[in-house]
Amino acid sequence: MYRIDLGAVRQTFASLAVLLAAASPARSGDALAGLAARSNLERVAARMVLADMPLADLLTDALFPYETDEVTRLILDGHDAAAFSALSHLTVGEFREWLLADTTGGASIAAVSPGLTPEMVAAVSKLMRNQDLIAVARKIEVVTRFRNTLGLKGRLAVRLQPNHPADDPLGIAAAVLDGLLMGCGDAVIGINPASDSVDAACTLLHMLDQVRLAHAIPTQTCVLTHVTNTLAAINRGAPVDLVFQSIAGSEAANRSFGIDLAMLREAHEAALSLKRGTVGQNVMYFETGQGSALSANAHHGVDQQTMEVRAYAVAREFAPMLVNTVVGFIGPEYLYDGKQIIRAGLEDHFCAKLMGLPMGCDVCYTNHAEADQDDMDTLLTLLGVAGVNFVMGVPGADDVMLGYQSTSFHDALYARDTLGLRPAPEFETWLGAVGLLDDAGRIRPVDFDRAPALLALPEAIR
């Protein structure tokens, strides 16, 4: 039981889960679950209690029983006590002040990151304004490598997302080339397949590899199918670069995705065995999103943002190349409007970076949410300032297969140009070599009368 007296008013919180939920900024998912603060007074009281809580208490007051949840066991068994020792004397509020201090740099944060649990990270985020989330996240550099190097300061990578409603290889290849001509694709060329078929996944993997090899593109490719399909594709000899999987913050929520930690370990080892990376071997790609555990009724009374951060503990176990939150994809039942989506995107990026993850964001919304592309422009810009590792590049910002709104190739160019950001270094060198950069390092318009060889599709695709 946690309590605080505010003059004549006493606020009580029955458990840590109740306290964390009450301290969260307002969002529709927590209200749907009956977890949200009932008033602004209750929300402020919860934050005051949380600010005075010792960080060490968040290690001992478990949200989930250790015996029944393998994500909890992963968090507690893997906790780095030596890394945590530098912070163990702090309260959550003092931890916030330490993170924001001018004397605390990215290296200092990286040193303590292995000692942070999701609950500590979620707790401190609830005490922060949006500018605090941005100010701390931009200090943190999380670098990963496969065929290029992602996460360096001053860089913004783009996942080229060429989805097609019928998985047509020619249509996908055309979207890939469209994105490449606008400087996108350094994070990954990644397709969400319309089909669950392993045969279709293998066809797309071979097609993407042909395009990559034909133009010697220093990037990685991925078909974002279920991990079991990717394992089957590896067993068939398909050219798998990255293994994709959606993940969540509890054992039950991960079961709703048809996965467990053992399955992810098997896939990780299988991908490593292929040795397809040239500059590194980060081989996993994870997607997350606030509300996934609640939608599976696997949140166990924990607020959706804390559940999201627990998913980052799963991702951290596998040293991924890429992680991104699909922030507005699940719908207004969880994040109602542009204000809630913007806040959630900044929270997710901050929390993941604090836990040492190479975080990107699908800056997106569904058509029935109270949001529009202006909200996405705002979040894209804020994340660029915050040092996000990558964003999405979708033709026209409208995903014709998944039926939601994201960011376009042009949006990525806007963010790079306005904020002075550049592509991944190896990819930038390639863009220059194929004639797509001007003297200032910007993407130049293509002269279609003298188009570069990049416009030619491989013979096998045509």
Side-chain angles (χ1 to χ4, degrees):
M1 176 78 72
Y2 301 89
R3 61 172 57 91
I4 186 172
D5 291 323
L6 300 174
V9 179
R10 168 170 286 191
Q11 293 284 342
T12 61
F13 306 94
S15 67
L16 178 60
V18 171
L19 177 66
L20 289 170
S24 289
R27 64 203 64 204
S28 52
D30 290 341
L32 177 68
L35 301 174
R38 292 163 294 183
S39 67
N40 285 330
L41 177 64
E42 184 178 20
R43 182 171 291 113
V44 170
R47 291 176 182 175
M48 292 174 69
V49 173
L50 197 57
D52 289 337
M53 178 181 291
L55 274 179
D57 285 4
L58 292 162
L59 266 175
T60 56
D61 193 350
L63 295 176
F64 292 77
Y66 179 90
E67 296 76 17
T68 59
D69 184 78
E70 68 172 358
V71 176
T72 298
R73 294 194 292 274
L74 175 71
I75 293 166
L76 296 180
D77 292 349
H79 181 249
D80 188 331
F84 180 61
S85 63
L87 305 175
S88 60
H89 62 290
L90 299 180
T91 65
V92 177
E94 290 168 341
F95 180 39
R96 172 186 175 274
E97 293 170 1
W98 181 82
L99 288 169
L100 287 166
D102 290 340
T103 52
T104 302
S108 298
I109 296 172
V112 301
S113 180
L116 298 176
T117 67
E119 290 77 11
M120 296 175 192
V121 172
V124 76
S125 74
K126 297 175 193 295
L127 304 183
M128 291 187 154
R129 292 171 55 186
N130 287 0
Q131 68 171 252
D132 299 336
L133 299 173
I134 294 167
V136 174
R138 68 178 282 111
K139 297 180 181 183
I140 304 170
E141 184 181 69
V142 182
V143 178
T144 56
R145 295 176 175 86
F146 190 76
R147 287 198 191 91
N148 58 25
T149 305
L150 302 180
L152 295 169
K153 286 189 181 297
R155 306 277 176 172
L156 175 64
V158 184
R159 171 188 158 193
L160 203 170
Q161 184 171 311
N163 296 343
H164 190 281
D167 287 342
D168 177 61
L170 188 60
I172 290 170
V176 168
L177 294 178
D178 185 24
L180 290 171
L181 289 169
M182 282 189 269
C184 298
D186 45 348
V188 65
I189 304 175
I191 304 167
N192 297 96
S195 166
D196 235 2
S197 160
V198 176
D199 288 339
C202 289
T203 296
L204 295 177
L205 284 166
H206 282 289
M207 182 274 291
L208 290 177
D209 208 44
Q210 289 171 26
V211 172
R212 181 186 66 80
L213 290 170
H215 300 296
I217 307 169
T219 191
Q220 33 285 331
T221 64
C222 185
V223 173
L224 283 71
T225 188
H226 193 270
V227 63
T228 54
N229 289 343
T230 304
L231 278 167
I234 290 174
N235 290 333
R236 293 187 186 186
V240 172
D241 289 344
L242 305 183
V243 174
F244 168 81
Q245 184 55 48
S246 295
I247 56 173
S250 71
E251 180 176 340
N254 282 323
R255 279 203 305 267
S256 76
F257 289 138
I259 64 166
D260 57 23
L261 296 178
M263 187 181 296
L264 294 178
R265 290 189 180 99
E266 179 185 0
H268 185 226
E269 292 302 316
L272 285 174
S273 73
L274 300 178
K275 294 182 173 61
R276 290 178 57 83
T278 55
V279 297
Q281 291 295 328
N282 298 112
V283 296
M284 302 299 281
Y285 177 12
F286 294 120
E287 279 190 348
T288 67
Q290 290 193 29
S292 60
L294 175 57
S295 67
N297 195 29
H299 62 296
H300 303 280
V302 178
D303 70 273
Q304 66 182 41
Q305 191 256 341
T306 301
M307 288 303 301
E308 169 75 0
V309 187
R310 284 174 58 89
Y312 303 157
V314 176
R316 181 166 64 176
E317 177 73 4
F318 298 98
M321 180 71 177
L322 306 165
V323 181
N324 73 263
T325 169
V326 195
V327 65
F329 182 76
I330 303 181
E333 301 83 3
Y334 305 96
L335 296 169
Y336 177 71
D337 57 13
K339 180 180 177 66
Q340 292 188 10
I341 292 171
I342 289 167
R343 172 68 190 193
L346 294 176
E347 285 173 347
D348 294 351
H349 177 250
F350 161 84
C351 290
K353 283 288 186 67
L354 197 50
M355 292 191 66
L357 292 180
M359 195 62 170
C361 183
D362 190 343
V363 177
C364 64
Y365 63 102
T366 58
N367 289 314
H368 62 309
E370 290 295 319
D372 58 26
Q373 212 64 33
D374 286 339
D375 296 313
M376 300 306 103
D377 289 346
T378 300
L379 179 54
L380 172 63
T381 305
L382 293 174
L383 286 169
V385 174
V388 72
N389 278 33
F390 68 100
V391 294
M392 304 299 132
V394 176
D398 184 0
D399 193 298
V400 295
M401 193 281 282
L402 290 173
Y404 77 117
Q405 308 305 309
S406 185
T407 48
S408 70
F409 305 139
H410 296 86
D411 294 332
L413 292 183
Y414 146 77
R416 282 175 175 164
D417 185 57
T418 303
L419 301 174
L421 302 171
R422 296 156 56 194
E426 299 88 348
F427 193 80
E428 183 179 41
T429 299
W430 175 81
L431 289 171
V434 297
L436 288 177
L437 296 181
D438 66 14
D439 291 340
R442 299 168 301 192
I443 297 296
R444 65 176 180 84
V446 176
D447 182 348
F448 285 97
D449 292 329
R450 293 181 297 170
L454 181 62
L455 287 174
L457 289 171
E459 183 66 33
I461 295 172
R462 287 183 283 134

